[in-house]
Amino acid sequence: MLKAYKYRMYPTKEQEEKFFQHFGCVRVIYNWALEQKIKTYEQDGKSISRFSLNKMIPELYEDKEWLKDVNSQSLRGATLNLDNAFTRFFREKKGFPKFKSKKNPVQSFSVPQYYKVDFDANKVRLPKIGWVNTKLHRRYTGIEKTATVSKTPTGKFYISILVDDEQELPVKSIFNEKVTVGIDVGIKDFAVLSNGEKIKNPKHLKNSIKRLAVLQRRLSRKQKGSKNKVKARLAVSELHEKIRNQRHDFQHKVSSKLISENQAVALETLNVSGMLKNHCLAQSIADASWSSFVTKLEYKAEWYGKTILRIGQFEPSTKICSVCGFHNGKLTLAVREWKCPECETNHDRDINAAINIKKFALDKQNLIGI
């Protein structure tokens, strides 16, 4: 089972320069490889493999001798990242790979092997860089795979180490109606459960939006290229980082709770990218970050042998009475509570949707009534 462990690094000034040198060289190789792939396809109608590109990298040393100053395996890691980008483009339709810019606030390079981790000394040794002070707050056991060094927009450095703990994923637990929960995500409440529980939406971005607007106005007024502009940009980045950390902390706690308390979780498939085109709700939807929350549920379910059930995007979970099955086609987004004209049951819109999501998911598994 693969797990990633992320640690904060505290490099010296000289080591920071080495980091930036690696960021720049890896970016050059990535852009060069992307250009080669595009040219090869336009001329021959074929794609050039990363192995062929790796064989061509030494030829670049003649004109770009500074490439010799960085870890050669990090350079070859750039071609692997490019291959992965093309795989996402063809399989998941994630968008054609773009050329990387040095102005991008997030920079990274990979270290496939030959790095060392010393937990007792709180240091990590990187090829061509040396021992770097690192806050190794968690120990791990297993086979170390690729490590990735990254820089955030706030100027912080992190290393993420992929570890194979040599353990198999646990067998999926048997589930039934009693140990399954349906979840309806929303904006007013972050998540509503089929058992009637509502999880309040913390709205981290909305709570900080006024302060963010002030900092962005200050940034826009600074002179281009000045030190004050750099300071103002850093202040904006730090607030964005705080919001992101708050959001991830909240989602980790909620997802861990749901996975630990249930054997199966039923979810509705949402077209989030399409919903973000609604300019009236886009900011609130982005603030809730449902896709990130679902991702956390999915990999934690794999870790602990739980099951994620999905229902279709167009299932009428909101408009159907969960008691008698009456379809209320006139229900609008503004209506939060409604009464079924058939069985006269009073429904909370979101709780009713969560119950239906659970029913639809279990019905596909032929587990209704078990």
Side-chain angles (χ1 to χ4, degrees):
M1 187 163 54
L2 296 174
K3 287 188 177 182
Y5 295 83
K6 192 173 184 179
Y7 306 104
R8 174 83 181 272
M9 305 191 84
Y10 297 90
T12 62
K13 289 295 181 181
E14 292 180 357
Q15 289 172 338
E16 278 190 24
E17 292 178 2
K18 284 286 187 180
F19 279 174
F20 283 110
Q21 192 176 19
H22 276 70
F23 294 146
C25 292
V26 167
R27 182 177 62 250
V28 167
I29 294 297
Y30 183 94
N31 291 340
W32 166 81
L34 177 56
E35 184 181 10
Q36 294 301 314
K37 275 184 170 288
I38 294 173
K39 285 183 177 179
T40 303
Y41 186 79
E42 289 176 347
Q43 294 173 1
D44 305 328
K46 297 180 180 179
S47 175
I48 183 172
S49 70
R50 69 181 178 93
F51 302 105
S52 299
L53 290 170
N54 288 341
K55 292 179 181 178
M56 297 165 61
I57 289 178
E59 299 175 6
L60 300 177
Y61 293 167
E62 297 178 5
D63 297 330
K64 300 179 177 65
E65 292 186 2
W66 33 270
L67 289 174
K68 298 179 181 179
D69 297 332
V70 303
N71 182 14
S72 61
Q73 291 198 342
S74 296
L75 299 180
R76 284 154 180 78
T79 60
L80 175 59
N81 291 337
L82 180 61
D83 250 23
N84 293 335
F86 271 102
T87 300
R88 289 191 294 271
F89 168 66
F90 288 114
R91 293 183 181 176
E92 305 172 18
K93 309 300 180 185
K94 292 294 185 180
F96 191 81
K98 298 179 180 179
F99 290 97
K100 294 183 180 292
S101 170
K102 65 179 180 180
K103 294 182 180 179
N104 191 335
V106 179
Q107 302 283 347
S108 66
F109 67 90
S110 62
V111 186
Q113 54 185 349
Y114 301 128
Y115 62 89
K116 293 182 180 180
V117 180
D118 188 340
F119 286 101
D120 296 326
N122 274 313
K123 290 184 178 182
V124 176
R125 184 184 179 278
L126 300 174
K128 296 280 189 175
I129 295 174
W131 289 100
V132 184
N133 290 327
T134 308
K135 185 63 175 178
L136 300 171
H137 59 282
R138 288 188 299 170
R139 289 180 177 266
Y140 57 78
T141 57
I143 302 173
E144 295 172 341
K145 301 292 187 179
T146 301
T148 303
V149 177
S150 60
K151 181 188 79 70
T152 66
T154 56
K156 297 174 183 176
F157 295 93
Y158 291 91
I159 183 169
S160 179
I161 302 174
L162 188 64
V163 179
D164 183 1
D165 60 10
E166 300 182 281
Q167 295 181 5
E168 296 293 332
L169 289 171
V171 179
K172 297 287 185 181
S173 303
I174 298 175
F175 62 93
N176 54 35
E177 190 174 2
K178 293 181 180 179
V179 293
T180 302
V181 65
I183 303 176
D184 179 53
V185 294
I187 296 175
K188 181 177 178 291
D189 295 299
F190 177 76
V192 178
L193 310 185
S194 55
N195 59 14
E197 181 183 351
K198 292 186 176 183
I199 300 173
K200 186 178 179 181
N201 188 355
K203 299 180 180 179
H204 300 296
L205 176 60
K206 186 177 180 180
N207 294 338
S208 302
I209 199 71
K210 290 184 178 179
R211 178 60 180 168
L212 184 60
V214 170
L215 295 177
Q216 288 176 330
R217 278 198 300 271
R218 290 179 183 175
L219 174 61
S220 66
R221 292 169 183 164
K222 302 303 180 185
Q223 184 177 354
K224 187 176 180 180
S226 66
K227 291 184 178 180
N228 284 334
K229 182 113 180 166
V230 175
K231 293 178 182 178
R233 185 182 293 112
L234 180 61
V236 173
S237 298
E238 286 177 343
L239 183 55
H240 274 298
E241 186 179 81
K242 178 183 177 181
I243 295 169
R244 183 174 64 254
N245 290 341
Q246 288 175 327
R247 184 180 295 129
H248 282 307
D249 179 69
F250 168 75
Q251 291 184 354
H252 274 299
K253 289 175 179 176
V254 173
S255 59
S256 296
K257 177 177 181 292
L258 292 172
I259 291 298
S260 64
E261 293 179 351
N262 303 280
Q263 300 301 321
V265 176
L267 301 169
E268 183 179 14
T269 302
L270 297 174
N271 180 16
V272 178
S273 59
M275 297 169 72
L276 287 172
K277 294 178 182 178
N278 183 340
H279 298 294
C280 297
L281 300 175
Q283 187 183 84
S284 298
I285 293 172
D287 191 13
S289 191
W290 298 326
S291 297
S292 174
F293 174 64
V294 171
T295 299
K296 292 178 177 64
L297 283 174
E298 288 176 337
Y299 73 70
K300 289 180 182 180
E302 290 291 326
W303 287 355
Y304 300 109
K306 306 301 176 69
T307 303
I308 299 293
L309 304 174
R310 292 277 199 162
I311 70 168
Q313 180 179 335
F314 301 105
E315 297 280 2
S317 58
T318 303
K319 298 183 178 182
I320 287 184
C321 173
S322 58
V323 178
C324 69
F326 172 78
H327 184 271
N328 186 357
K330 298 181 180 179
L331 194 66
T332 62
L333 186 62
V335 179
R336 308 313 302 174
E337 295 182 357
W338 59 284
K339 184 176 182 179
C340 177
E342 294 289 334
C343 63
E344 298 186 349
T345 303
N346 292 315
H347 289 297
D348 178 288
R349 175 194 183 96
D350 299 325
I351 295 177
N352 179 66
I355 294 173
N356 281 328
I357 289 172
K358 175 182 174 179
K359 284 187 173 183
F360 293 162
L362 290 175
D363 185 48
K364 291 182 179 180
Q365 302 291 322
N366 296 319
L367 294 175
I368 288 294
I370 295 179

